[in-house]
Amino acid sequence: MLTSDDLAFFSVLTDSKSLAESARKLNVTPPAVTQRLRALEEKVGVRLIDRSGRRLRLTEEGSLVASHSVIVSEAIDSLAEALADRRGAVRGHLRVAAPHGFGRLYVAPVVEAFAREHGGATATLQLSDHPAALLVESYDVVVHIGAPGHLDQVVTTLAPNPRILCASPRYLDSAPPISAPVDLAQHRCLAVRENEEDVTLWRFKGPRQEIATVRVNPVMSSNDGAVIREWALAGQGIMIRSEWNVAEDLADGRLRQVLPNWKLPPADIVAMLGSRHGRSARTAAFLTMLRQALKPPPWQALSAGSPRQ
C-alpha cells in the first residue's frame, strides 16, 4: 500500500531531470534514491520510471502515480491549512504575484516582513509585466494596478492611485503652452502599449465635471512603463503615469504635472484573490500587512509637496 511519503518521494522524482538531481533535492545519495525507487516499484508491481536514457521518463503507470501524487499532496496541504486556520495559525506557502516596478518597491518588503514574522510559513513573490493575466487560482494574492476586468475572483482595493499627465521642465519650457486637453494633439506624446487598450485616446474630467477626450499620435511608445518614464525625463514629450511611479520625480522637480485641474481615470492598486485561497490565515495575515504598508500610500507624502504647472 502506498503512503503519503511514497507519493512525496515520487513527486520529487517527477520534477527532476535525473536521479542525481533528485538525490540533491532530497539530501541523500544517488544510490539511496535508486534503492528507494526500486522498493517503490516492487511495492506497486510495475515499472514507474524508464531509466534507460539520459533523462528520467515516466512510464504510463508512472504518469498515473504522478497525477494522483499531486491530488493527494494538495488534499493533505488543504487539510493542514484548514486545521491551521481553525487555530488561527499562519502556515503553508504564500504565493504572491505583482507588477515588476511596484512589486519591487512596495510588495517585496512586505513579503520579507511576512516571512520574518511568520516562521511557520514560506513565501514566493512572482513579478510579472501582466500579473492579472496569470492564473489567479495558482496564487494567494495577485497585486494589480488598474481595473481587474471581468474576472470571477474576489477583488479588494489596497490603495488609491491617480494617474498623472506630466513631462520634464526641459520639454515644457520649450514647447507651446497647454491650457486644455485639446492642446495635447499638437504636442509630442509618449504612450505605454501594455495590452489591447486604446492607449492613444486620452480621457479627462475637468474642474466642472466636463468630459474631454483627445486622440494623440505618440511620437514614441513602448510596452515598458519604465522606458516611457526615462524618455519623459530626457525631455522627449508628455506621458501618463501612475502617481506611485512619478511622485518622487514630481517632488524633486524632474517632472512637472500638466493640466493639474483635469483628472484622468484612476488606476487603483487592487488585490485579486483566488476563491480557494481567499480566506486562508496566511492570505489574511499578508493582506493586513500589505494594507498597513500602503495606508497612507507612501508615495502621496512625496507628491503632496511637488511643484505644479
Side-chain angles (χ1 to χ4, degrees), residues 121-145:
T122 57
T124 294
L125 173 60
Q126 175 75 27
L127 298 180
S128 169
D129 290 329
H130 306 291
L134 299 173
L135 184 61
V136 176
E137 291 300 326
S138 299
Y139 293 87
D140 294 288
V141 178
V142 175
V143 178
H144 175 65
I145 299 176

Side-chain angles (χ1 to χ4, degrees), residues 105-126:
L105 284 175
Y106 297 109
V107 180
V110 181
V111 173
E112 190 273 332
F114 171 89
R116 189 182 334 112
E117 182 170 330
H118 302 289
T122 57
T124 294
L125 173 60
Q126 175 75 27

